[in-house]
Amino acid sequence: MWQVFWVFLALGCTSFGGPMAHFGYYRQLLVVKKGWLNEQEFAELMALCNFLPGPSSSQMGMALGYRQAGYAGAIAAFVGFTLPSFLLMVSAALLWQQGQSFSWLAALVHGFKLLAVLVLLDAIRGMWANLCNTALSRAVALLTAVFLLLLPGLWTMMVLMLAAFVIG
């Protein structure tokens, strides 16, 4: 449990960029570096967490923590990952209340967002190489991306999931 807490605390201190970037950070650390699970298991968990309503990257973190150390691991992952954001938000609120300027923080966050794009692109590259290893899976992935870019929305996603299910 403590190992899970420390791993997710480090992720919570360094994982900027939103849920999709979080998946990239999770994959890089927990699949590639630590080997907590393989690419296929990661992809299945990611698909489940993106399908369920709610905060997908938090669900993924708790699922990864649970997988590693049961319910205590799920709680440790949640607390470790969200504690830095909680402390940062409370600190920012207290400073704002005292009239502090945040222009330096905006520049810092912008830099972290740019870094998150690189992490996300690396995760996409890695998952593409490991999970889209047939012509059919590559075609399905590319067509899905094109359709979602051209016709974003819930119904497009539902139709594409159904089509991928039938093809698969």
Side-chain angles (χ1 to χ4, degrees), residues 119-158:
V119 171
L120 183 59
L121 289 173
D122 181 58
I124 291 169
R125 182 198 53 78
M127 286 188 279
W128 176 266
N130 289 301
L131 298 173
C132 295
N133 48 15
T134 67
L136 179 61
S137 63
R138 287 186 187 115
V140 168
L142 287 173
L143 286 172
T144 299
V146 168
F147 275 106
L148 285 172
L149 287 171
L150 295 176
L151 301 166
L154 176 64
W155 288 108
T156 305
M157 191 180 343
M158 299 302 277

Side-chain angles (χ1 to χ4, degrees), residues 68-109:
Q68 199 64 16
Y71 289 113
I75 293 167
F78 176 75
V79 171
F81 192 72
T82 57
L83 185 61
S85 296
F86 170 77
L87 294 175
L88 184 62
M89 291 303 293
V90 168
S91 299
L94 293 173
L95 289 172
W96 179 74
Q97 194 174 31
Q98 295 176 1
Q100 298 291 321
S101 171
F102 290 104
S103 58
W104 61 272
L105 183 60
L108 182 67
V109 168

Side-chain angles (χ1 to χ4, degrees), residues 11 25 31 42 57-58 67 80 103 105 114 116 136 143 148 166:
L11 282 166
Y25 290 110
V31 175
F42 183 83
S57 64
S58 295
R67 196 173 188 286
S103 58
L105 183 60
L114 294 175
L136 179 61
L143 286 172
L148 285 172
V166 170

Side-chain angles (χ1 to χ4, degrees), residues 21-41:
H22 295 163
F23 285 120
Y25 290 110
Y26 291 160
R27 183 191 162 275
Q28 185 63 32
L29 181 63
L30 303 177
V31 175
V32 175
K33 289 184 181 171
K34 292 192 175 289
W36 282 13
L37 64 167
N38 64 39
E39 293 281 355
Q40 185 66 38
E41 294 165 327

